Amino acid sequence: MPNIRVLRDIKARELVKANEVIRRAYLYVARNESLPPQVRHQAQLQLNTLGRYTRPTTVKNRCSESGRGRGIMSEFALCRYQFRLKALNNEIPGVRKASW
Amino acid sequence: MAASITPSRLAALVKTRCQIFQTAYNPTSARTGAKYLRARLRGPSMVKYYPPVANIAELARTYKNAGVVDFAEAQRLKDVEDKKRRGKGAPAKAKDKGQSRRTARRR
């Protein structure tokens, strides 16, 4: 069972995906200098009303095994310790301990 | 010589280049917000980051008739019953504001 931080992150990812198109549309209007300032301001206000977890920056790659937020290898979605444990157990395809 | 080319000639060159390659001619570099439309959507790959996990509670709820039992949930309900029998259960919900323990403490 993933811990609460991972669950929160999953929620954020789903909300980002659900609101991405509308968010881009508002961003386009708000950042377009050729549009009248009033329209741009309205778009910015709409952007502010979107929830916290619709922003892609709230998404953080966490360890899928332990939920750790630091020392993550994003390709494997694992933190460095879980990566080591799994790699030594031959649970990650194509990864083996270096020896020369 | 490069120095002898006038700015107007350079501008004309850029304009022609934009026509040929079908790019927007934007000599003042005004911000059009096009980059927000041009960028790929990141959501679909974002939701794929964590490997899917089986939700046992939900499985047990949907396949209750097939005999699937959520042992953790069954144990929890049993513990709650045991506590109630020993008089250690949760207090009853307040029917109205006056019965609330929080307001009683404040008085």
mmCIF file of all heavy atoms in Angstrom, chain A residues 12-58:
data_model
loop_
_atom_site.group_PDB
_atom_site.id
_atom_site.type_symbol
_atom_site.label_atom_id
_atom_site.label_comp_id
_atom_site.label_asym_id
_atom_site.label_seq_id
_atom_site.Cartn_x
_atom_site.Cartn_y
_atom_site.Cartn_z
ATOM 1 N N ALA A 12 -2.449 14.277 -7.638
ATOM 2 C CA ALA A 12 -1.973 15.453 -8.361
ATOM 3 C C ALA A 12 -1.779 15.126 -9.834
ATOM 4 O O ALA A 12 -2.170 15.902 -10.713
ATOM 5 C CB ALA A 12 -0.669 15.950 -7.743
ATOM 6 N N ARG A 13 -1.196 13.956 -10.110
ATOM 7 C CA ARG A 13 -0.945 13.582 -11.503
ATOM 8 C C ARG A 13 -2.249 13.458 -12.274
ATOM 9 O O ARG A 13 -2.351 13.903 -13.425
ATOM 10 C CB ARG A 13 -0.202 12.235 -11.540
ATOM 11 C CG ARG A 13 1.255 12.368 -11.224
ATOM 12 C CD ARG A 13 1.901 11.044 -10.955
ATOM 13 N NE ARG A 13 3.177 11.226 -10.325
ATOM 14 C CZ ARG A 13 4.317 11.388 -10.995
ATOM 15 N NH1 ARG A 13 4.315 11.368 -12.290
ATOM 16 N NH2 ARG A 13 5.440 11.578 -10.352
ATOM 17 N N GLU A 14 -3.256 12.871 -11.643
ATOM 18 C CA GLU A 14 -4.523 12.701 -12.338
ATOM 19 C C GLU A 14 -5.201 14.050 -12.586
ATOM 20 O O GLU A 14 -5.767 14.279 -13.657
ATOM 21 C CB GLU A 14 -5.437 11.775 -11.538
ATOM 22 C CG GLU A 14 -5.127 10.329 -11.862
ATOM 23 C CD GLU A 14 -5.657 9.364 -10.840
ATOM 24 O OE1 GLU A 14 -6.393 9.792 -9.944
ATOM 25 O OE2 GLU A 14 -5.317 8.168 -10.953
ATOM 26 N N LEU A 15 -5.102 14.949 -11.579
ATOM 27 C CA LEU A 15 -5.729 16.256 -11.747
ATOM 28 C C LEU A 15 -5.001 17.083 -12.795
ATOM 29 O O LEU A 15 -5.625 17.834 -13.547
ATOM 30 C CB LEU A 15 -5.780 16.991 -10.411
ATOM 31 C CG LEU A 15 -6.895 16.523 -9.487
ATOM 32 C CD1 LEU A 15 -6.781 17.189 -8.150
ATOM 33 C CD2 LEU A 15 -8.253 16.782 -10.091
ATOM 34 N N VAL A 16 -3.676 16.965 -12.838
ATOM 35 C CA VAL A 16 -2.911 17.680 -13.857
ATOM 36 C C VAL A 16 -3.350 17.223 -15.237
ATOM 37 O O VAL A 16 -3.595 18.030 -16.137
ATOM 38 C CB VAL A 16 -1.400 17.453 -13.665
ATOM 39 C CG1 VAL A 16 -0.627 17.887 -14.890
ATOM 40 C CG2 VAL A 16 -0.900 18.206 -12.453
ATOM 41 N N LYS A 17 -3.496 15.914 -15.385
ATOM 42 C CA LYS A 17 -3.900 15.386 -16.690
ATOM 43 C C LYS A 17 -5.306 15.875 -17.058
ATOM 44 O O LYS A 17 -5.563 16.266 -18.190
ATOM 45 C CB LYS A 17 -3.876 13.856 -16.653
ATOM 46 C CG LYS A 17 -4.059 13.254 -18.023
ATOM 47 C CD LYS A 17 -4.281 11.766 -17.957
ATOM 48 C CE LYS A 17 -4.584 11.223 -19.337
ATOM 49 N NZ LYS A 17 -5.088 9.862 -19.282
ATOM 50 N N ALA A 18 -6.207 15.874 -16.072
ATOM 51 C CA ALA A 18 -7.603 16.246 -16.349
ATOM 52 C C ALA A 18 -7.724 17.712 -16.731
ATOM 53 O O ALA A 18 -8.583 18.076 -17.535
ATOM 54 C CB ALA A 18 -8.468 15.930 -15.133
ATOM 55 N N ASN A 19 -6.876 18.573 -16.145
ATOM 56 C CA ASN A 19 -7.028 20.019 -16.350
ATOM 57 C C ASN A 19 -5.998 20.608 -17.303
ATOM 58 O O ASN A 19 -5.923 21.825 -17.445
ATOM 59 C CB ASN A 19 -6.933 20.751 -15.011
ATOM 60 C CG ASN A 19 -8.130 20.473 -14.144
ATOM 61 O OD1 ASN A 19 -9.183 21.040 -14.347
ATOM 62 N ND2 ASN A 19 -7.982 19.557 -13.203
ATOM 63 N N GLU A 20 -5.201 19.741 -17.938
ATOM 64 C CA GLU A 20 -4.060 20.256 -18.699
ATOM 65 C C GLU A 20 -4.503 21.118 -19.887
ATOM 66 O O GLU A 20 -3.946 22.196 -20.121
ATOM 67 C CB GLU A 20 -3.200 19.083 -19.184
ATOM 68 C CG GLU A 20 -1.825 19.527 -19.622
ATOM 69 C CD GLU A 20 -0.883 18.371 -19.769
ATOM 70 O OE1 GLU A 20 -1.344 17.272 -20.098
ATOM 71 O OE2 GLU A 20 0.317 18.577 -19.568
ATOM 72 N N VAL A 21 -5.516 20.659 -20.610
ATOM 73 C CA VAL A 21 -5.908 21.368 -21.842
ATOM 74 C C VAL A 21 -6.478 22.744 -21.504
ATOM 75 O O VAL A 21 -6.078 23.758 -22.100
ATOM 76 C CB VAL A 21 -6.924 20.514 -22.621
ATOM 77 C CG1 VAL A 21 -7.472 21.303 -23.788
ATOM 78 C CG2 VAL A 21 -6.272 19.244 -23.123
ATOM 79 N N ILE A 22 -7.382 22.795 -20.525
ATOM 80 C CA ILE A 22 -8.005 24.077 -20.169
ATOM 81 C C ILE A 22 -6.940 25.026 -19.620
ATOM 82 O O ILE A 22 -6.928 26.220 -19.892
ATOM 83 C CB ILE A 22 -9.166 23.862 -19.169
ATOM 84 C CG1 ILE A 22 -9.903 25.166 -18.888
ATOM 85 C CG2 ILE A 22 -8.714 23.288 -17.860
ATOM 86 C CD1 ILE A 22 -10.965 25.431 -19.889
ATOM 87 N N ARG A 23 -5.998 24.466 -18.877
ATOM 88 C CA ARG A 23 -4.915 25.256 -18.304
ATOM 89 C C ARG A 23 -4.053 25.871 -19.402
ATOM 90 O O ARG A 23 -3.690 27.051 -19.343
ATOM 91 C CB ARG A 23 -4.068 24.316 -17.444
ATOM 92 C CG ARG A 23 -3.307 25.028 -16.425
ATOM 93 C CD ARG A 23 -2.462 24.162 -15.561
ATOM 94 N NE ARG A 23 -1.613 25.097 -14.884
ATOM 95 C CZ ARG A 23 -2.023 25.826 -13.872
ATOM 96 N NH1 ARG A 23 -3.188 25.639 -13.349
ATOM 97 N NH2 ARG A 23 -1.240 26.735 -13.354
ATOM 98 N N ARG A 24 -3.726 25.066 -20.412
ATOM 99 C CA ARG A 24 -2.926 25.563 -21.544
ATOM 100 C C ARG A 24 -3.675 26.674 -22.270
ATOM 101 O O ARG A 24 -3.082 27.671 -22.694
ATOM 102 C CB ARG A 24 -2.639 24.434 -22.516
ATOM 103 C CG ARG A 24 -1.636 23.424 -22.041
ATOM 104 C CD ARG A 24 -0.227 23.960 -22.166
ATOM 105 N NE ARG A 24 0.700 22.987 -21.638
ATOM 106 C CZ ARG A 24 1.176 21.974 -22.337
ATOM 107 N NH1 ARG A 24 0.817 21.817 -23.582
ATOM 108 N NH2 ARG A 24 2.017 21.135 -21.781
ATOM 109 N N ALA A 25 -4.992 26.500 -22.426
ATOM 110 C CA ALA A 25 -5.778 27.503 -23.144
ATOM 111 C C ALA A 25 -5.733 28.836 -22.404
ATOM 112 O O ALA A 25 -5.508 29.896 -23.008
ATOM 113 C CB ALA A 25 -7.212 27.015 -23.287
ATOM 114 N N TYR A 26 -5.915 28.789 -21.076
ATOM 115 C CA TYR A 26 -5.860 30.017 -20.283
ATOM 116 C C TYR A 26 -4.468 30.624 -20.329
ATOM 117 O O TYR A 26 -4.304 31.845 -20.410
ATOM 118 C CB TYR A 26 -6.257 29.731 -18.830
ATOM 119 C CG TYR A 26 -7.748 29.639 -18.618
ATOM 120 C CD1 TYR A 26 -8.288 28.625 -17.843
ATOM 121 C CD2 TYR A 26 -8.609 30.573 -19.164
ATOM 122 C CE1 TYR A 26 -9.648 28.531 -17.632
ATOM 123 C CE2 TYR A 26 -9.973 30.498 -18.959
ATOM 124 C CZ TYR A 26 -10.485 29.476 -18.197
ATOM 125 O OH TYR A 26 -11.831 29.398 -17.994
ATOM 126 N N LEU A 27 -3.446 29.790 -20.276
ATOM 127 C CA LEU A 27 -2.069 30.288 -20.331
ATOM 128 C C LEU A 27 -1.826 31.007 -21.649
ATOM 129 O O LEU A 27 -1.190 32.072 -21.695
ATOM 130 C CB LEU A 27 -1.085 29.120 -20.191
ATOM 131 C CG LEU A 27 -0.665 28.748 -18.781
ATOM 132 C CD1 LEU A 27 0.133 27.469 -18.793
ATOM 133 C CD2 LEU A 27 0.154 29.859 -18.157
ATOM 134 N N TYR A 28 -2.339 30.416 -22.733
ATOM 135 C CA TYR A 28 -2.161 31.016 -24.053
ATOM 136 C C TYR A 28 -2.764 32.407 -24.075
ATOM 137 O O TYR A 28 -2.133 33.371 -24.547
ATOM 138 C CB TYR A 28 -2.803 30.123 -25.112
ATOM 139 C CG TYR A 28 -2.921 30.776 -26.461
ATOM 140 C CD1 TYR A 28 -1.795 30.984 -27.244
ATOM 141 C CD2 TYR A 28 -4.163 31.208 -26.940
ATOM 142 C CE1 TYR A 28 -1.896 31.597 -28.481
ATOM 143 C CE2 TYR A 28 -4.270 31.820 -28.167
ATOM 144 C CZ TYR A 28 -3.138 32.017 -28.937
ATOM 145 O OH TYR A 28 -3.234 32.632 -30.142
ATOM 146 N N VAL A 29 -3.980 32.545 -23.540
ATOM 147 C CA VAL A 29 -4.646 33.851 -23.559
ATOM 148 C C VAL A 29 -3.914 34.825 -22.648
ATOM 149 O O VAL A 29 -3.671 35.978 -23.013
ATOM 150 C CB VAL A 29 -6.118 33.703 -23.140
ATOM 151 C CG1 VAL A 29 -6.784 35.054 -23.051
ATOM 152 C CG2 VAL A 29 -6.858 32.820 -24.121
ATOM 153 N N ALA A 30 -3.530 34.340 -21.465
ATOM 154 C CA ALA A 30 -2.931 35.240 -20.478
ATOM 155 C C ALA A 30 -1.560 35.741 -20.918
ATOM 156 O O ALA A 30 -1.156 36.850 -20.581
ATOM 157 C CB ALA A 30 -2.822 34.531 -19.137
ATOM 158 N N ARG A 31 -0.812 34.926 -21.660
ATOM 159 C CA ARG A 31 0.548 35.302 -22.041
ATOM 160 C C ARG A 31 0.637 35.925 -23.425
ATOM 161 O O ARG A 31 1.704 36.301 -23.861
ATOM 162 C CB ARG A 31 1.450 34.067 -22.000
ATOM 163 C CG ARG A 31 1.466 33.325 -20.684
ATOM 164 C CD ARG A 31 2.230 34.079 -19.615
ATOM 165 N NE ARG A 31 2.334 33.277 -18.411
ATOM 166 C CZ ARG A 31 1.451 33.304 -17.424
ATOM 167 N NH1 ARG A 31 0.418 34.121 -17.502
ATOM 168 N NH2 ARG A 31 1.592 32.537 -16.370
ATOM 169 N N ASN A 32 -0.507 36.009 -24.127
ATOM 170 C CA ASN A 32 -0.492 36.533 -25.489
ATOM 171 C C ASN A 32 -0.547 38.058 -25.446
ATOM 172 O O ASN A 32 -1.573 38.639 -25.083
ATOM 173 C CB ASN A 32 -1.688 35.964 -26.260
ATOM 174 C CG ASN A 32 -1.576 36.228 -27.741
ATOM 175 O OD1 ASN A 32 -0.806 37.096 -28.165
ATOM 176 N ND2 ASN A 32 -2.327 35.496 -28.520
ATOM 177 N N GLU A 33 0.539 38.707 -25.863
ATOM 178 C CA GLU A 33 0.616 40.163 -25.758
ATOM 179 C C GLU A 33 -0.255 40.877 -26.782
ATOM 180 O O GLU A 33 -0.494 42.076 -26.658
ATOM 181 C CB GLU A 33 2.073 40.618 -25.919
ATOM 182 C CG GLU A 33 2.903 40.363 -24.678
ATOM 183 C CD GLU A 33 4.329 40.836 -24.820
ATOM 184 O OE1 GLU A 33 4.757 41.070 -25.964
ATOM 185 O OE2 GLU A 33 5.010 40.949 -23.791
ATOM 186 N N SER A 34 -0.714 40.147 -27.807
ATOM 187 C CA SER A 34 -1.517 40.795 -28.837
ATOM 188 C C SER A 34 -2.981 40.929 -28.419
ATOM 189 O O SER A 34 -3.754 41.595 -29.094
ATOM 190 C CB SER A 34 -1.422 40.013 -30.149
ATOM 191 O OG SER A 34 -1.969 38.725 -29.968
ATOM 192 N N LEU A 35 -3.361 40.292 -27.321
ATOM 193 C CA LEU A 35 -4.745 40.378 -26.852
ATOM 194 C C LEU A 35 -4.891 41.559 -25.899
ATOM 195 O O LEU A 35 -3.916 41.999 -25.299
ATOM 196 C CB LEU A 35 -5.130 39.076 -26.135
ATOM 197 C CG LEU A 35 -5.203 37.838 -27.019
ATOM 198 C CD1 LEU A 35 -5.475 36.609 -26.192
ATOM 199 C CD2 LEU A 35 -6.264 37.995 -28.088
ATOM 200 N N PRO A 36 -6.121 42.096 -25.747
ATOM 201 C CA PRO A 36 -6.316 43.233 -24.841
ATOM 202 C C PRO A 36 -6.021 42.852 -23.389
ATOM 203 O O PRO A 36 -6.279 41.721 -22.976
ATOM 204 C CB PRO A 36 -7.799 43.595 -25.021
ATOM 205 C CG PRO A 36 -8.399 42.432 -25.702
ATOM 206 C CD PRO A 36 -7.339 41.757 -26.478
ATOM 207 N N PRO A 37 -5.462 43.807 -22.631
ATOM 208 C CA PRO A 37 -5.051 43.516 -21.245
ATOM 209 C C PRO A 37 -6.178 42.989 -20.374
ATOM 210 O O PRO A 37 -5.940 42.136 -19.518
ATOM 211 C CB PRO A 37 -4.562 44.868 -20.728
ATOM 212 C CG PRO A 37 -4.247 45.648 -21.937
ATOM 213 C CD PRO A 37 -5.125 45.165 -23.034
ATOM 214 N N GLN A 38 -7.408 43.482 -20.612
ATOM 215 C CA GLN A 38 -8.535 43.029 -19.777
ATOM 216 C C GLN A 38 -8.779 41.541 -19.948
ATOM 217 O O GLN A 38 -8.965 40.811 -18.979
ATOM 218 C CB GLN A 38 -9.799 43.809 -20.146
ATOM 219 C CG GLN A 38 -9.948 45.103 -19.378
ATOM 220 C CD GLN A 38 -11.205 45.839 -19.776
ATOM 221 O OE1 GLN A 38 -11.775 45.577 -20.839
ATOM 222 N NE2 GLN A 38 -11.624 46.754 -18.925
ATOM 223 N N VAL A 39 -8.738 41.100 -21.201
ATOM 224 C CA VAL A 39 -8.958 39.683 -21.491
ATOM 225 C C VAL A 39 -7.853 38.850 -20.855
ATOM 226 O O VAL A 39 -8.097 37.811 -20.222
ATOM 227 C CB VAL A 39 -9.002 39.457 -23.017
ATOM 228 C CG1 VAL A 39 -9.073 37.977 -23.337
ATOM 229 C CG2 VAL A 39 -10.170 40.196 -23.627
ATOM 230 N N ARG A 40 -6.626 39.334 -20.997
ATOM 231 C CA ARG A 40 -5.483 38.594 -20.426
ATOM 232 C C ARG A 40 -5.614 38.507 -18.909
ATOM 233 O O ARG A 40 -5.328 37.475 -18.305
ATOM 234 C CB ARG A 40 -4.176 39.288 -20.799
ATOM 235 C CG ARG A 40 -3.830 39.170 -22.262
ATOM 236 C CD ARG A 40 -2.575 39.922 -22.588
ATOM 237 N NE ARG A 40 -1.426 39.393 -21.868
ATOM 238 C CZ ARG A 40 -0.274 40.017 -21.738
ATOM 239 N NH1 ARG A 40 -0.109 41.205 -22.279
ATOM 240 N NH2 ARG A 40 0.703 39.475 -21.074
ATOM 241 N N HIS A 41 -6.057 39.585 -18.302
ATOM 242 C CA HIS A 41 -6.203 39.591 -16.841
ATOM 243 C C HIS A 41 -7.272 38.606 -16.396
ATOM 244 O O HIS A 41 -7.092 37.878 -15.409
ATOM 245 C CB HIS A 41 -6.547 41.003 -16.375
ATOM 246 C CG HIS A 41 -6.521 41.160 -14.888
ATOM 247 N ND1 HIS A 41 -5.394 40.943 -14.144
ATOM 248 C CD2 HIS A 41 -7.513 41.482 -14.014
ATOM 249 C CE1 HIS A 41 -5.686 41.127 -12.868
ATOM 250 N NE2 HIS A 41 -6.956 41.453 -12.755
ATOM 251 N N GLN A 42 -8.377 38.576 -17.144
ATOM 252 C CA GLN A 42 -9.442 37.622 -16.819
ATOM 253 C C GLN A 42 -8.932 36.187 -16.898
ATOM 254 O O GLN A 42 -9.225 35.353 -16.028
ATOM 255 C CB GLN A 42 -10.624 37.795 -17.785
ATOM 256 C CG GLN A 42 -11.493 39.011 -17.483
ATOM 257 C CD GLN A 42 -12.113 38.936 -16.104
ATOM 258 O OE1 GLN A 42 -12.530 37.878 -15.665
ATOM 259 N NE2 GLN A 42 -12.135 40.051 -15.396
ATOM 260 N N ALA A 43 -8.145 35.918 -17.939
ATOM 261 C CA ALA A 43 -7.597 34.570 -18.095
ATOM 262 C C ALA A 43 -6.688 34.223 -16.922
ATOM 263 O O ALA A 43 -6.693 33.102 -16.407
ATOM 264 C CB ALA A 43 -6.830 34.457 -19.403
ATOM 265 N N GLN A 44 -5.903 35.225 -16.477
ATOM 266 C CA GLN A 44 -4.998 34.981 -15.344
ATOM 267 C C GLN A 44 -5.800 34.688 -14.086
ATOM 268 O O GLN A 44 -5.440 33.809 -13.290
ATOM 269 C CB GLN A 44 -4.092 36.199 -15.153
ATOM 270 C CG GLN A 44 -3.035 36.025 -14.082
ATOM 271 C CD GLN A 44 -2.099 34.878 -14.410
ATOM 272 O OE1 GLN A 44 -1.615 34.745 -15.528
ATOM 273 N NE2 GLN A 44 -1.853 34.014 -13.439
ATOM 274 N N LEU A 45 -6.912 35.422 -13.900
ATOM 275 C CA LEU A 45 -7.766 35.173 -12.730
ATOM 276 C C LEU A 45 -8.347 33.764 -12.778
ATOM 277 O O LEU A 45 -8.436 33.079 -11.758
ATOM 278 C CB LEU A 45 -8.895 36.208 -12.667
ATOM 279 C CG LEU A 45 -8.454 37.645 -12.358
ATOM 280 C CD1 LEU A 45 -9.648 38.567 -12.355
ATOM 281 C CD2 LEU A 45 -7.745 37.706 -11.015
ATOM 282 N N GLN A 46 -8.730 33.333 -13.978
ATOM 283 C CA GLN A 46 -9.251 31.968 -14.127
ATOM 284 C C GLN A 46 -8.180 30.944 -13.784
ATOM 285 O O GLN A 46 -8.454 29.924 -13.152
ATOM 286 C CB GLN A 46 -9.742 31.746 -15.560
ATOM 287 C CG GLN A 46 -11.072 32.406 -15.864
ATOM 288 C CD GLN A 46 -12.173 31.868 -14.977
ATOM 289 O OE1 GLN A 46 -12.283 30.672 -14.781
ATOM 290 N NE2 GLN A 46 -12.977 32.757 -14.418
ATOM 291 N N LEU A 47 -6.948 31.237 -14.198
ATOM 292 C CA LEU A 47 -5.829 30.335 -13.875
ATOM 293 C C LEU A 47 -5.685 30.198 -12.368
ATOM 294 O O LEU A 47 -5.438 29.118 -11.845
ATOM 295 C CB LEU A 47 -4.525 30.886 -14.453
ATOM 296 C CG LEU A 47 -4.146 30.471 -15.862
ATOM 297 C CD1 LEU A 47 -2.866 31.169 -16.262
ATOM 298 C CD2 LEU A 47 -3.963 28.977 -15.947
ATOM 299 N N ASN A 48 -5.868 31.336 -11.669
ATOM 300 C CA ASN A 48 -5.695 31.306 -10.220
ATOM 301 C C ASN A 48 -6.785 30.502 -9.528
ATOM 302 O O ASN A 48 -6.583 30.017 -8.416
ATOM 303 C CB ASN A 48 -5.675 32.736 -9.669
ATOM 304 C CG ASN A 48 -4.498 33.514 -10.188
ATOM 305 O OD1 ASN A 48 -3.566 32.953 -10.742
ATOM 306 N ND2 ASN A 48 -4.537 34.827 -10.037
ATOM 307 N N THR A 49 -7.964 30.392 -10.179
ATOM 308 C CA THR A 49 -9.046 29.645 -9.540
ATOM 309 C C THR A 49 -8.862 28.136 -9.675
ATOM 310 O O THR A 49 -9.488 27.382 -8.946
ATOM 311 C CB THR A 49 -10.407 30.010 -10.141
ATOM 312 O OG1 THR A 49 -10.393 29.655 -11.521
ATOM 313 C CG2 THR A 49 -10.711 31.472 -9.994
ATOM 314 N N LEU A 50 -8.028 27.702 -10.623
ATOM 315 C CA LEU A 50 -7.778 26.261 -10.744
ATOM 316 C C LEU A 50 -7.077 25.774 -9.481
ATOM 317 O O LEU A 50 -6.337 26.520 -8.851
ATOM 318 C CB LEU A 50 -6.916 25.964 -11.972
ATOM 319 C CG LEU A 50 -7.571 26.226 -13.327
ATOM 320 C CD1 LEU A 50 -6.581 25.963 -14.444
ATOM 321 C CD2 LEU A 50 -8.787 25.361 -13.510
ATOM 322 N N GLY A 51 -7.315 24.535 -9.137
ATOM 323 C CA GLY A 51 -6.817 24.025 -7.870
ATOM 324 C C GLY A 51 -5.307 23.882 -7.801
ATOM 325 O O GLY A 51 -4.608 23.961 -8.815
ATOM 326 N N ARG A 52 -4.821 23.674 -6.595
ATOM 327 C CA ARG A 52 -3.397 23.543 -6.356
ATOM 328 C C ARG A 52 -2.808 22.377 -7.145
ATOM 329 O O ARG A 52 -1.738 22.473 -7.710
ATOM 330 C CB ARG A 52 -3.181 23.309 -4.864
ATOM 331 C CG ARG A 52 -1.744 23.113 -4.476
ATOM 332 C CD ARG A 52 -1.675 22.530 -3.072
ATOM 333 N NE ARG A 52 -0.384 22.583 -2.450
ATOM 334 C CZ ARG A 52 0.763 22.234 -2.971
ATOM 335 N NH1 ARG A 52 0.812 21.861 -4.209
ATOM 336 N NH2 ARG A 52 1.873 22.279 -2.269
ATOM 337 N N TYR A 53 -3.548 21.248 -7.163
ATOM 338 C CA TYR A 53 -2.990 20.045 -7.769
ATOM 339 C C TYR A 53 -3.211 19.975 -9.270
ATOM 340 O O TYR A 53 -3.047 18.934 -9.865
ATOM 341 C CB TYR A 53 -3.572 18.803 -7.092
ATOM 342 C CG TYR A 53 -3.106 18.672 -5.675
ATOM 343 C CD1 TYR A 53 -4.005 18.680 -4.630
ATOM 344 C CD2 TYR A 53 -1.742 18.574 -5.389
ATOM 345 C CE1 TYR A 53 -3.568 18.576 -3.322
ATOM 346 C CE2 TYR A 53 -1.300 18.470 -4.097
ATOM 347 C CZ TYR A 53 -2.219 18.476 -3.061
ATOM 348 O OH TYR A 53 -1.776 18.379 -1.768
ATOM 349 N N THR A 54 -3.650 21.087 -9.902
ATOM 350 C CA THR A 54 -3.719 21.082 -11.351
ATOM 351 C C THR A 54 -2.432 21.632 -11.957
ATOM 352 O O THR A 54 -2.259 21.597 -13.160
ATOM 353 C CB THR A 54 -4.894 21.936 -11.851
ATOM 354 O OG1 THR A 54 -4.692 23.269 -11.411
ATOM 355 C CG2 THR A 54 -6.201 21.433 -11.293
ATOM 356 N N ARG A 55 -1.555 22.140 -11.089
ATOM 357 C CA ARG A 55 -0.273 22.679 -11.578
ATOM 358 C C ARG A 55 0.723 21.544 -11.745
ATOM 359 O O ARG A 55 0.908 20.747 -10.818
ATOM 360 C CB ARG A 55 0.280 23.673 -10.555
ATOM 361 C CG ARG A 55 0.070 25.104 -10.959
ATOM 362 C CD ARG A 55 0.449 26.030 -9.842
ATOM 363 N NE ARG A 55 -0.666 26.256 -8.930
ATOM 364 C CZ ARG A 55 -0.542 26.350 -7.619
ATOM 365 N NH1 ARG A 55 0.632 26.225 -7.044
ATOM 366 N NH2 ARG A 55 -1.594 26.551 -6.873
ATOM 367 N N PRO A 56 1.368 21.455 -12.900
ATOM 368 C CA PRO A 56 2.301 20.334 -13.091
ATOM 369 C C PRO A 56 3.498 20.382 -12.143
ATOM 370 O O PRO A 56 4.143 19.351 -11.927
ATOM 371 C CB PRO A 56 2.726 20.455 -14.554
ATOM 372 C CG PRO A 56 2.265 21.767 -15.023
ATOM 373 C CD PRO A 56 1.187 22.239 -14.122
ATOM 374 N N THR A 57 3.805 21.554 -11.569
ATOM 375 C CA THR A 57 4.960 21.628 -10.685
ATOM 376 C C THR A 57 4.699 20.990 -9.329
ATOM 377 O O THR A 57 5.634 20.759 -8.563
ATOM 378 C CB THR A 57 5.383 23.085 -10.452
ATOM 379 O OG1 THR A 57 4.233 23.836 -10.105
ATOM 380 C CG2 THR A 57 6.029 23.674 -11.682
ATOM 381 N N THR A 58 3.419 20.698 -8.998
ATOM 382 C CA THR A 58 3.149 20.050 -7.716
ATOM 383 C C THR A 58 3.441 18.546 -7.773
ATOM 384 O O THR A 58 3.453 17.881 -6.757
ATOM 385 C CB THR A 58 1.680 20.242 -7.305
ATOM 386 O OG1 THR A 58 0.845 19.779 -8.356
ATOM 387 C CG2 THR A 58 1.383 21.670 -7.003
#
